[in-house]
């Protein structure tokens, strides 16, 4: 199972949205949703949390997941299991990941996260 997440934040309003691309059994599932007003780094964590909630709600626990993010802060925080500035968000994300059989987290370049990025941009325009 592959999970790609991204967040988009409007610089003038700090409105944020998540883009989530989930690939399971060869099928692609796309999700976009508004997030609470926040800075972009917080929004990246919230997008990852939303992605894992969707994955767990749809497929249940004990999944093997390849998790891709273009946020170095999220990837490094998960790898270290530590974040000074995003401790609450990281703890929530790790608790969700702990319900999976295994999670391999990989940082990818923004250009390789195009699907989730587009969904996040579209999510900014949801009413």
């Amino acid at each position: 199972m592959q999970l790609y997440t991204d967040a988009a934040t409007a610089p003038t309003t700090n409105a944020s949205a998540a883009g989530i691309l989930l690939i399971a059994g060869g099928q692609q599932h796309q999700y976009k949703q508004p997030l609470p007003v926040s800075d972009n780094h917080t929004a990246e964590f919230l997008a990852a949390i939303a992605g894992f909630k969707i994955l767990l709600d749809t497929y249940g626990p004990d999944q093997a997941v390849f998790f891709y993010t273009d946020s170095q802060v999220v990837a490094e925080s998960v790898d270290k299991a530590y974040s000074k500035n995003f401790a609450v968000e990281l703890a929530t994300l790790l608790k969700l990941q702990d319900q999976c059989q295994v999670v391999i987290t990989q940082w990818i370049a923004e250009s390789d996260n195009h699907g989730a990025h587009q969904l996040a941009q579209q999510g900014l325009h949801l009413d």
Side-chain angles (χ1 to χ4, degrees):
M1 179 167 301
Q2 298 173 337
L3 175 64
Y4 296 80
T5 66
D6 195 19
T9 302
T12 55
T13 63
N14 281 346
S16 297
I20 300 156
L21 182 61
L22 184 57
I23 302 171
Q27 298 282 16
Q28 194 177 101
H29 307 278
Q30 300 178 354
Y31 305 90
K32 54 191 170 214
Q33 65 186 57
L35 295 171
V37 170
S38 62
D39 64 88
N40 192 59
H41 290 305
T42 302
E44 291 284 358
F45 277 97
L46 297 176
I49 290 165
F52 274 93
K53 284 182 178 178
I54 289 170
L55 185 149
L56 291 165
D57 287 348
T58 305
Y59 296 97
D62 299 323
Q63 302 297 321
V65 181
F66 288 94
F67 169 50
Y68 300 97
T69 178
D70 62 15
S71 168
Q72 287 185 317
V73 172
V74 171
E76 290 174 4
S77 297
V78 167
D79 186 48
K80 296 175 186 176
Y82 173 79
S83 174
K84 179 180 178 181
N85 297 319
F86 306 100
V88 171
E89 294 84 0
L90 177 62
T92 302
L93 177 58
L94 292 176
K95 186 174 180 180
L96 292 167
Q97 288 185 348
D98 284 346
Q99 297 177 50
C100 298
Q101 185 180 66
V102 64
V103 177
I104 307 297
T105 300
Q106 179 71 46
W107 175 84
I108 58 174
E110 186 176 321
S111 59
D112 294 328
N113 202 19
H114 187 72
H117 177 77
Q118 285 297 110
L119 291 165
Q121 291 293 322
Q122 293 170 12
L124 279 178
H125 303 291
L126 293 175
D127 290 324

